Amino acid sequence: MRLLPLAVGAAGAGLVAQGLSVPAAWLVGPMLVAILLALARPEARPRIPGWTRRASQAVVGIVIASTFQPAVLPLVAREWFAVGLAVGSTVLLSLGASVVLARFAPLDGRTAALGTLPGAASAMSLLGEPLGADPRLVALMQYGRVVLVVASAAIVARLGAPAPVTAGFAGLEKQGVDPLIQNLWAAYAVAALVAVVGGWVGARLALPAGGLLGPLLLGVALQEARILDLALPAGVPPLAYALIGIHVGLLFDRTSLRRAGGLLPSLLASTLSLMLASAGMGWVFSALTNTDYLTAFLATTPGGIDSIAVMAVGSGADASLVVAVQTMRLLAVVLVGALLDRRWSARR
């Protein structure tokens, strides 16, 4: 019965957000309901099976694959300086923020570093305890930033939609070749198979965000081979977005907030500073690549890749470019996390 109030509240919030034309309404609305429920009634916090998040990530991967434009990859390679600048600056800014936090706030360096590295929230949270950091604070910092990034992205998307055509990354079209599989129900079945197999392969290969990237890469390969045009029943993507929002929202609890205590102002200031710096980098990225600002903002913002991918799809931004840049930064963050792991482990 604990699931019923959450399900009803999430559905109602999603409908209201959709009615208000909030970008990624089915992510934002349920996420806010889950946060309120987790903080207001912790005893009523429901247990959401872990497979639902993996399934939701796979659906997001399929959605992005259905709109993905592989021709964006040569353009990313051509604009290597802008992409490298966006990825490198965000990682360096986050590490700088962790040094400042550890210096001026009562927070150890390991917790500060793992909490501020952007884009691999689940991995950083899992690394916390084994490396001697405070896992609850790491999770609070990581997912608190995700919530703030989603909210800021919704505001940016509401203030201005991307230009329909730009000379840089937009205006790429798929080849006009009929796919091998044209029956809609057959396409649904193959999409489900792609989600399952891609998610399994992503996990087996230990890809960062493998539950999303595995189905995305497999789906893109099938589409470009003109096996089929990926399709999902109309209600499936909103359900997946809602489940991702609920999973993020339920990670918050009173214990984490109490443990944070007087650190909250410092953590909030650090997160907002990183977000503002990344938003400024978005302007630079937009100018260097001649792409719209919303796409550049989402590509450079320090959020979780699944949430940002949903926001990109829901706001009309260039999801292909956003996911490409976010994936590169995710790989960079995982690499930095592994280097920190090795360095800290050697000191033990």
Side-chain angles (χ1 to χ4, degrees), residues 79-348:
E79 300 287 356
W80 61 270
F81 176 75
V83 174
L85 182 64
V87 171
S89 63
T90 306
V91 174
L92 290 176
L93 284 169
S94 68
L95 290 175
S98 72
V99 171
V100 174
L101 269 178
R103 175 68 176 83
F104 295 102
L107 188 67
D108 65 277
R110 298 183 181 187
T111 299
L114 294 178
T116 54
L117 279 173
S122 56
M124 295 303 111
S125 299
L126 290 173
L127 281 173
E129 192 168 8
L131 293 180
D134 186 327
R136 285 188 176 273
L137 274 181
V138 171
L140 178 66
M141 293 168 68
Q142 285 285 347
Y143 288 102
R145 186 181 64 248
V146 169
V147 171
L148 291 175
V149 164
V150 169
S152 66
I155 293 171
V156 171
R158 189 67 184 270
L159 290 178
V165 176
T166 61
F169 290 97
L172 304 174
E173 298 179 357
K174 298 183 183 297
Q175 295 178 350
V177 179
D178 290 336
L180 181 63
I181 299 175
Q182 298 189 35
N183 180 273
L184 184 60
W185 289 100
Y188 288 163
V190 175
L193 184 62
V194 169
V196 173
V197 174
W200 180 81
V201 171
R204 291 287 294 179
L205 296 178
L207 292 176
L212 185 150
L213 292 180
L216 192 160
L217 295 175
L218 181 57
V220 167
L222 291 176
Q223 273 211 155
E224 290 308 302
R226 302 312 293 145
I227 303 298
L228 81 162
D229 286 328
L230 288 169
L232 291 168
V236 172
L239 177 61
Y241 304 160
L243 285 171
I244 290 174
I246 288 171
H247 273 283
V248 172
L250 290 180
L251 289 168
F252 291 83
D253 56 44
R254 294 178 182 177
T255 303
S256 298
L257 294 177
R258 281 196 297 267
R259 183 169 296 190
L263 283 172
L264 281 178
S266 299
L267 297 181
L268 183 61
S270 172
T271 298
L272 291 177
S273 298
L274 179 59
M275 288 172 58
L276 285 173
S278 297
M281 179 51 58
W283 282 111
V284 175
F285 187 83
S286 176
L288 291 175
T289 61
N290 196 27
T291 192
D292 62 90
Y293 180 67
L294 176 57
T295 295
F297 175 85
L298 293 175
T300 56
T301 196
I305 188 171
D306 49 3
S307 302
I308 294 302
V310 173
M311 186 62 67
V313 172
S315 63
D318 186 342
S320 302
L321 175 58
V322 170
V323 171
V325 178
Q326 287 280 345
T327 299
M328 291 177 188
R329 195 190 63 221
L330 178 61
L331 293 172
V333 167
V334 171
L335 176 61
V336 171
L339 293 175
L340 291 176
D341 183 0
R342 179 176 297 182
R343 179 181 178 185
W344 292 334
S345 298
R347 291 182 176 180
R348 303 180 91 180

